[in-house]
């Protein structure tokens, strides 16, 4: 210590870089940085050398050549004569479909299970505990395979729906002959939009605007007079009645194309393939279990005093949950929810296990395999997941900052 | 000083990279075993038997090469590959050679930087359907659900066939033959399509094989053969000529039973003598000893023996020689001269 006062400048030793606390962190950082650069440099160099040794170049031109393979689930038109780029786009859309539907269903399941797990009724809370623990502690891949196996092995084949000589069929459609559950997927009616169907859309949009108007009017009224309006009932009525009325007034502009058995399979309607159902349900149930825990944790984080205060003001338990607990709990729930959404989106690449044609299967699977462009395909695939994740987290962060405690 | 470290590291990396690309034979010898890529399990072609020993028509090629190079047909490490992983496994050096029902195509041979060293089975793509469907031609399959293995020529041929015939289908992409079999038997697809030999092999494992029929149409040419990396020609030569040795042995009547006797002393057929090393220095030309072909043939017999034992008419798979007969019997097998 005493040395420090004796002018250190004229006696600078190399060893000071390590032993002198003024320089040490700088030294460590410099060395770490150099090692990192060296590591990256080595990776890049090694890749180029090895690719050259294999006689391979890096080129993305293959994206514009004919893909040559077919894709079963098509959100936009596609034939085997289209390019690899379009096949990749189809895969991206299929991934996004699973991500969006999965996040929606997982949130619904998670919120219900999380709230119900806190129920005073031990049967309900016990069931929810079983659900949460069962799904959290068994790998996702196994759930995907279980659901897929149940669908393919347990459900009847399309030809079982065909009546035999005596007019009896082994299996029959459900819900008034509109839905067929088969081992190739679930066939549901597909809406066919008539010429005037757009009017219905406008009516529905107007109803929604009206619902918001009623809600804010009701809130103002309650603040002014203390009287409550049954907003929920009015809301439901507003949502359903005008559209249904318009539907009949316009002479049913929307019809439903139900699946019918023909040839090898059901024709018409929309086919929800087994691969889609398996990956969708498994992802939702699995992620839902984690969300349920976030929700439960969020609710428990709100001090008991809050609900006691609400009860003493005469609020019933439901309203307490709705008006006092949940709005505060959301602040705790949302940040981990973002990472659950990210997990779900990335986990959707497990679709490979059941042959769901997501972006991993097209861009990162068949296209790579048919063209030999492993590095390019994997880079693009990584880029896609990166962008998707960044988008999801930025959207959720915007929402998070809106529900955050407003500090004034 | 830091620059020297960097350069040093780069040189080492460069050397390591260079070494991985060439000298497969040295690697195999140093390791004492051959890493051979095979399918995940296709009866008759490559599948482990009850004792866990790999057997089959493709496996026999690996064993012949191991016998020629290492002197021990059992010195093979089998690496299972799917349709999607096989070429990457080969290109990355995870395996030394691939014998997995792989079709020789232009782009695989050139763009994928692989070398097909020959053909061990001339095949074509077919369709299998349950007899109960009452289908007798592939053209009647409009609207059918079809199971296909992804990453294969099969899926490309299938797309072409249905497009050209203007009929539609619903593809069910599947990773391995075992999964395809399960889906097909569960009725999740109406049709299973792959190489006709693969269909026969798959059907042979069914409980009620008689309930399924293979449609008459063969919609493609599928010359299946062993594959090595492009660029290591010495290694390619060894695999190529090991295969030719098996074919030539059948042509000249050299079998696993008489090969030792024929190799003991020169016979009056010079071609046999050169093949078995009692005359000439053919082995040295590919960096092996004189008896390399003797060992390759002793491993599992000549081509005909391997065929009959694994997939021939006496086996449950019951394939006829057809195109895979010797040229002298009207088939396509034609080994170049050993001289
Ligand atoms: N010959 C075609 C298809 C090869 C192929 O995948 N064959 C199937 C059936 S013949 C197979 O070997 N499957 C075994 C496995 O799934 O591991 C190709 O090279 O692309």
């Amino acid at each position: 210590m005493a040395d420090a006062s004796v002018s250190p400048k004229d006696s600078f030793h190399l060893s000071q870089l390590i032993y002198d606390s003024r320089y040490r962190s700088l030294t460590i950082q410099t060395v770490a940085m150099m090692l990192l650069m060296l590591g990256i440099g080595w990776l890049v160099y090694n890749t180029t050398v090895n690719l050259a040794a294999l006689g391979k170049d890096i080129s993305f031109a293959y994206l514009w050549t004919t893909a040559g393979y077919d894709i079963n689930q098509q959100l936009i038109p596609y034939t085997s004569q289209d390019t690899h780029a379009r096949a990749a786009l189809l895969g991206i859309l299929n991934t996004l479909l699973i991500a969006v539907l999965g996040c929606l269903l997982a949130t619904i399941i998670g919120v219900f299970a999380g709230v119900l797990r806190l129920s005073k009724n031990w049967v309900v809370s016990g069931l929810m505990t079983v659900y949460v623990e069962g799904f959290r502690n068994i790998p996702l891949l196994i759930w995907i395979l279980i659901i897929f196996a149940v669908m393919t092995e347990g459900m009847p084949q399309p030809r079982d729906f065909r009546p035999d000589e005596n007019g009896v069929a082994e299996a029959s459609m459900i819900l008034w002959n509109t839905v067929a559950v088969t081992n190739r997927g679930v066939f549901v009616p597909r809406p066919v939009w008539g010429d005037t169907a757009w009017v219905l859309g406008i009516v529905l949009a107007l109803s929604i605007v009206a619902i918001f108007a009623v809600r804010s009017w009701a809130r103002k009224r309650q603040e002014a007079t203390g009287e409550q309006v049954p907003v929920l009932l009015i809301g439901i009525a507003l949502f359903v009645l005008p559209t249904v009325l318009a539907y009949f007034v316009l002479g049913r502009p929307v019809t439903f194309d139900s699946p019918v058995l023909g040839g090898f399979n059901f024709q018409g309607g929309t086919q929800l393939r087994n691969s889609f159902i398996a990956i969708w349900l498994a992802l939702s149930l699995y992620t839902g279990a984690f969300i349920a825990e976030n929700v439960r944790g969020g609710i428990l984080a709100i001090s008991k005093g809050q609900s006691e205060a609400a009860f003493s003001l005469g609020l019933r338990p439901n309203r307490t949950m709705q008006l006092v607990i949940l709005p505060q709990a959301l602040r705790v729930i949302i940040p981990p929810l973002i990472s659950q959404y990210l997990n779900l989106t990335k986990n959707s690449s497990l679709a490979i296990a059941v042959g769901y044609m997501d972006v991993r299967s097209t861009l990162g699977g068949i296209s790579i395999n048919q063209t030999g462009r492993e590095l390019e395909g994997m880079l693009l695939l990584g880029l896609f997941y990166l962008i998707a994740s960044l988008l999801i987290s930025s959207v959720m962060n915007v929402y998070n900052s809106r529900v955050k405690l407003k500090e004034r | 000083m830091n620059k020297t470290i960097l350069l040093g590291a780069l040189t080492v990396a460069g050397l390591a990279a260079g070494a991985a690309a060439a000298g497969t034979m040295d690697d195999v010898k140093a390791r004492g075993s051959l890493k051979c890529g095979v399918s995940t399990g296709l009866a008759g072609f490559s599948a482990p038997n009850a004792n866990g020993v790999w057997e089959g028509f493709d496996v026999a090629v690996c064993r012949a090469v191991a016998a020629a190079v290492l002197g021990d047909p059992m010195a093979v490490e089998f690496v299972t590959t799917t349709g999607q992983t096989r070429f990457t496994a080969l290109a990355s050096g995870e395996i030394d050679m691939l014998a997995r029902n792989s079709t020789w195509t232009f782009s695989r041979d050139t763009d994928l930087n692989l070398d097909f060293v020959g053909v061990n089975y001339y095949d074509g793509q077919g369709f299998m359907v349950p007899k109960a469907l009452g289908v007798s031609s592939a053209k009647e399959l409009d609207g059918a659900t079809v199971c296909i293995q992804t990453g294969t020529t099969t899926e490309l041929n299938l797309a072409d066939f249905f497009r050209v015939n203007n009929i539609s289908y619903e593809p069910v992409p599947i990773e391995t033959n075992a999964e395809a079999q399960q889906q097909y038997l569960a009725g999740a697809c109406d049709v299973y399509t792959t190489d006709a030999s693969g269909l026969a092999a798959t059907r042979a494992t069914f409980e009620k094989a008689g309930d399924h029929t293979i449609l008459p149409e063969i919609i493609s040419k599928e010359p299946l053969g062993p594959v090595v990396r492009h660029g290591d020609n010495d290694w390619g030569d060894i695999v190529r000529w090991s295969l030719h040795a098996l074919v030539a042995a059948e042509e000249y009547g050299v079998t696993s039973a008489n090969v030792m006797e024929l190799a003991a002393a020169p016979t009056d057929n010079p071609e046999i003598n050169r093949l078995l090393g009692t005359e000439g220095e053919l082995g040295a030309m590919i960096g092996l000893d004189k008896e390399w072909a003797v060992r390759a043939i002793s491993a599992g017999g000549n081509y005909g023996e391997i065929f009959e034992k694994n997939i021939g008419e006496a086996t449950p798979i019951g394939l006829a020689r057809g195109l895979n007969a010797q040229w002298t019997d009207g088939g396509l097998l034609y080994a170049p001269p050993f001289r």
Side-chain angles (χ1 to χ4, degrees), chain B residues 118-157:
Chain B
V119 174
N120 67 338
Y121 193 95
Y122 289 93
D123 209 346
Q125 183 176 342
F127 297 93
M128 176 164 64
V129 293
K131 280 194 179 141
L133 277 188
V135 174
S136 58
S137 155
K139 303 234 168 85
E140 296 165 21
L141 290 176
D142 192 9
T145 306
V146 184
C147 278
I148 34 161
Q149 265 182 266
T150 57
T152 59
T153 49
T154 315
E155 66 188 339
L156 305 180
N157 297 331

Side-chain angles (χ1 to χ4, degrees), chain A residues 34 38 41-42 45-46 49-50 53-56 67-72 79-81 148-149 152-153 155 157-159 183-184 264-265 267 271 273-274 352-357 360-361 364-366 368-374, chain B residues 2 5-6 9-10 13-14 17 20-21 83-85 87-88 91 107 111-113 130 132-133 135 140-145 150-153 155-156 159-160 163 169-173 175 179 182-183 185-190 229:
Chain A
M34 272 172 0
L38 214 68
W42 182 77
Y45 179 80
N46 199 28
V49 167
N50 274 314
L54 287 171
K56 288 193 170 190
Y69 59 92
D70 278 305
I71 296 178
N72 50 18
T79 72
S80 59
Q81 292 308 98
F148 189 68
T152 44
E153 305 279 343
M155 301 300 158
Q157 298 184 29
R159 70 177 115 125
N183 67 348
R184 294 175 193 178
F264 291 100
N265 211 340
Q267 315 283 333
Q271 179 182 6
R273 291 176 179 77
N274 278 342
I352 182 185
V354 288
Y356 178 73
M357 295 301 275
R360 218 265 357 144
S361 299
I366 302 180
I368 283 188
N369 205 259
Q370 301 291 7
T371 60
R373 299 275 167 198
E374 292 97 356
Chain B
N2 278 323
I5 295 180
L6 186 75
L10 292 184
Q84 291 214 31
T85 60
F87 299 130
T88 316
S107 60
D111 196 32
L112 292 197
N113 272 298
L133 277 188
V135 174
E140 296 165 21
L141 290 176
D142 192 9
T145 306
T150 57
T152 59
T153 49
E155 66 188 339
L156 305 180
D160 285 346
R163 185 168 48 84
Y169 72 107
E170 154 92 15
V172 178
E175 202 55 17
E179 276 170 60
Q182 181 207 338
Q183 296 270 313
L185 286 178
C189 35
D190 300 305
R229 276 182 292 281

